[in-house]
Amino acid sequence: MLCPLLIVALIHCMSTSMCHCYDPEESFIRNHSLLEKFIFEKNDYDKRLIPKMTSKAVDVFMDVRIRSVLDVDEKNQILITTTSFRLRWEDFRLKWNPKDFGGISLIKLDPTRIWRPDLLIQNEVSDIPALLRTRDTSTMINIFNTGSVSTTALVKVVTTCNIDTALFPLDTQWCDISVGSWAYPYAYMNLQWFKRNVSDDSKYDTSEWSLKEVIMKKVNIYEDPSGTYPTLVVQILLTRKMSFTA
């Protein structure tokens, strides 16, 4: 049985700031803030520098999904698609021990705060390239305590396509989307696919064309004294629907 004095002390504690109750949300915000300071201030993070600490290049993995084929412009030799690009790479400067920050193992940050691959769609027809357009406005970037970084962008892509209608109306067309870096040769950044196959959920039709196949390739687009620059190519096979030629 509690003595009267102890009861009075407990009541006083509960009614004043002397009694501090644990608030999970407040604790998370405090630990999140401490983690950001640890990364960007204590570690003196510089987003201008590629996260390359050895002779090994930084591996950048890319996954592409053709969400929809919006138009095949035969006159202007253009393909318009809605395409998602998912990227993943490792940045050793973004590692931390979750035990030091309340168990936090994942944070989402403004993409402008860290280094990101300078990827462009090389055969794009646009004044402002799609990947550059979404580079600073895409969804928050995911950073894991292991130093793994991932981000996804869904963009409307307008690319050139050499459309040959000699076999109309039984024609099929191959169109490419080529992605590469202009700043980093292979010795600094190794651009590669997550996987080579595209699942069926990316096969969406337009009113006139059916998307039949997607092939992923890796090629060396050019070489110069600074090194070899790899390019990832998405080859898209389109077949014209007979119902629209009658």
Side-chain angles (χ1 to χ4, degrees):
M1 184 174 180
L2 295 175
C3 66
L5 289 177
L6 181 57
I7 294 175
V8 172
L10 287 173
I11 293 174
H12 178 72
C13 175
M14 294 176 65
S15 62
T16 65
S17 59
M18 291 174 60
C19 181
H20 177 73
C21 298
Y22 176 73
D23 185 339
E25 183 176 352
E26 180 182 341
S27 176
F28 175 82
I29 293 173
R30 182 174 63 254
N31 281 305
H32 196 286
S33 177
L34 290 173
L35 177 54
E36 289 192 38
K37 289 182 179 179
F38 171 78
I39 292 173
F40 296 106
E41 295 178 14
K42 186 174 180 180
N43 286 353
D44 196 21
Y45 189 91
D46 190 342
K47 68 179 183 179
R48 298 170 299 176
L49 303 178
I50 185 171
K52 182 178 182 295
M53 61 184 299
T54 66
S55 58
K56 186 179 183 297
V58 176
D59 291 321
V60 176
F61 296 91
M62 185 174 76
D63 183 37
V64 173
R65 291 289 183 268
I66 310 299
R67 298 301 181 185
S68 62
V69 178
L70 301 177
D71 189 23
V72 179
D73 187 336
E74 300 166 48
K75 179 180 178 181
N76 295 306
Q77 303 280 290
I78 286 174
L79 171 68
I80 305 176
T81 62
T82 300
T83 304
S84 66
F85 297 86
R86 182 166 62 103
L87 299 173
R88 181 173 62 82
W89 65 93
E90 302 286 332
D91 190 332
F92 68 92
R93 301 167 297 178
L94 299 175
K95 290 183 178 181
W96 71 89
N97 187 343
K99 294 180 179 180
D100 296 334
F101 302 96
I104 296 176
S105 59
L106 165 67
I107 58 174
K108 295 177 180 290
L109 294 178
D110 185 326
T112 62
R113 300 184 67 183
I114 68 169
W115 178 90
R116 290 155 296 155
D118 67 322
L119 300 180
L120 296 175
I121 300 172
Q122 297 168 342
N123 61 326
E124 187 173 11
V125 182
S126 176
D127 293 334
I128 305 177
L131 291 181
L132 183 62
R133 186 169 65 245
T134 62
R135 182 177 170 87
D136 296 339
T137 59
S138 58
T139 55
M140 301 293 277
I141 209 160
N142 297 313
I143 304 175
F144 298 87
N145 68 287
T146 58
S148 179
V149 184
S150 67
T151 182
T152 302
L154 180 65
V155 295
K156 179 180 178 181
V157 179
V158 182
T159 49
T160 58
C161 180
N162 185 19
I163 301 173
D164 184 359
T165 58
L167 297 179
F168 176 89
L170 302 176
D171 53 324
T172 60
Q173 307 295 336
W174 281 101
C175 298
D176 294 347
I177 298 178
S178 301
V179 180
S181 167
W182 291 108
Y184 299 108
Y186 178 79
Y188 287 86
M189 190 173 79
N190 180 21
L191 184 60
Q192 53 190 303
W193 293 112
F194 269 116
K195 55 184 180 179
R196 292 300 181 105
N197 298 321
V198 176
S199 58
D200 291 339
D201 66 353
S202 66
K203 296 183 179 179
Y204 289 84
D205 295 346
T206 65
S207 58
E208 186 177 357
W209 297 86
S210 293
L211 193 158
K212 291 298 183 183
E213 187 177 3
V214 175
I215 298 176
M216 295 180 171
K217 298 173 59 178
K218 180 175 181 178
V219 299
N220 294 327
I221 191 169
Y222 67 92
E223 297 184 17
D224 65 19
S226 65
T228 300
Y229 291 78
T231 296
L232 299 185
V233 181
V234 183
Q235 294 184 317
I236 305 167
L237 177 60
L238 300 166
T239 302
R240 193 186 301 269
K241 296 180 182 178
M242 289 297 295
S243 58
F244 284 85
T245 62

